[in-house]
Amino acid sequence: MAEAVSILEALTAKSREQLMRHARPRHFTAGSALFYKGDDGSWLYLIEQGLVEISLMSLQGKKATLNHLGPGEVIGELSALDQLPRSADALALTNTGGLVIPKQRLAEVLRDDSDACLEVIRLLCSRVRNASDMFENRAVAPASVRLAHCVLTLIRKWGETDEQGILHLSQQLSQAELGEFAGLARENVNRLLKEWQALGWLQFHRGQLTVLDAPALQAILDQSE
């Protein structure tokens, strides 16, 4: 089986169909919260359209963005699996539509699909490793490395290539949102984006990011290792 990137992809077609029978549509307007850290985790959510931000707020009131999720991705499965409250906040960055799936239905399906259980374990272990790498990067890496890592991660996830072979980010993000994801102040993001635009590496205009020279950004990461 190919490596799954979501809980649903870890299931067999039969198990996935069984689970989706219990799904119900639900929409969230831009700026509204799907849930907050500490809320009861009674459901998971399959995003069909829109963009959702996963974040944590420190005791000092500083937000750390952990991830951005879009169409085809699932949110809230951790609480559905461990039966504990939500571990982070989830905010709809745009008008978002999707399907709510009760957590007990997921448990029922996994009990009958041992292969899927193993795949879910691999998926969650991969996420733990990715989270560890991300926090290590934020803790010790200089600003240029953090932002280059952020841009490349987003473009690999949501990049679309046009007829000229140029990479465009399909989701719009503000400089502040890029900064939250990279662990940088907006001023630092603005400075670096201007420098990289002058070098011809990328363009950023009204939330639309275009990468013109991905190898140049990758070189920043390679030089930091």
Side-chain angles (χ1 to χ4, degrees):
M1 178 185 292
E3 183 178 351
V5 296
S6 80
I7 292 293
L8 296 184
E9 290 183 13
L11 303 178
T12 62
K14 181 179 179 181
S15 295
R16 190 160 51 245
E17 180 182 355
Q18 179 183 345
L19 182 65
M20 296 309 293
R21 290 196 198 110
H22 304 281
R24 297 292 180 268
R26 185 168 178 183
H27 294 80
F28 296 88
T29 58
S32 64
L34 282 72
F35 53 76
Y36 292 105
K37 180 180 179 180
D39 286 353
D40 176 55
S42 60
W43 46 270
L44 55 155
Y45 189 70
L46 170 62
I47 303 170
E48 293 185 316
Q49 61 183 39
L51 184 64
V52 176
E53 176 189 86
I54 309 300
S55 64
L56 285 171
M57 191 70 71
S58 71
L59 293 176
Q60 293 75 33
K62 185 177 181 180
K63 184 171 74 171
T65 299
L66 307 179
N67 205 353
H68 291 97
L69 302 176
E73 296 186 280
V74 177
I75 184 173
E77 64 266 55
L78 184 60
S79 290
L81 290 169
D82 65 14
Q83 309 297 306
L84 295 176
R86 303 294 191 190
S87 59
D89 301 336
L91 178 72
L93 293 180
T94 65
N95 291 335
T96 301
L99 298 171
V100 168
I101 305 169
K103 68 177 181 182
Q104 64 268 26
R105 301 303 182 187
L106 176 62
E108 292 170 2
V109 166
L110 290 178
R111 276 196 295 266
D112 297 329
D113 193 340
S114 58
D115 289 340
C117 285
L118 291 175
E119 193 65 23
V120 167
I121 291 172
R122 294 190 189 100
L123 171 64
L124 295 180
C125 288
S126 174
R127 290 185 181 177
V128 170
R129 290 182 183 275
N130 289 340
S132 177
D133 290 344
M134 181 183 71
F135 282 112
E136 181 180 358
N137 179 65
R138 287 185 176 182
V140 301
S144 59
V145 173
R146 296 186 203 180
L147 187 59
H149 181 270
C150 170
V151 169
L152 290 173
T153 297
L154 292 171
I155 209 71
R156 286 165 184 159
K157 184 173 184 178
W158 287 316
E160 296 179 347
T161 305
D162 64 16
E163 296 177 353
Q164 287 74 42
I166 298 174
L167 277 169
H168 302 275
L169 189 65
S170 60
Q171 304 286 348
Q172 289 193 339
L173 294 170
S174 68
Q175 290 186 11
E177 288 165 342
L178 286 174
E180 289 165 358
F181 197 30
L184 297 171
R186 190 196 66 79
E187 293 76 11
N188 287 333
V189 172
N190 179 269
R191 174 179 57 80
L192 286 168
L193 289 178
K194 287 182 177 179
E195 290 179 5
W196 294 348
Q197 286 185 111
L199 290 169
W201 294 356
L202 54 73
Q203 293 177 351
F204 187 83
H205 181 66
R206 295 185 178 180
Q208 182 62 60
L209 176 66
T210 300
V211 174
L212 304 173
D213 193 346
L217 296 176
Q218 182 61 49
I220 294 176
L221 302 185
D222 295 341
Q223 291 168 8
S224 69
E225 294 179 355

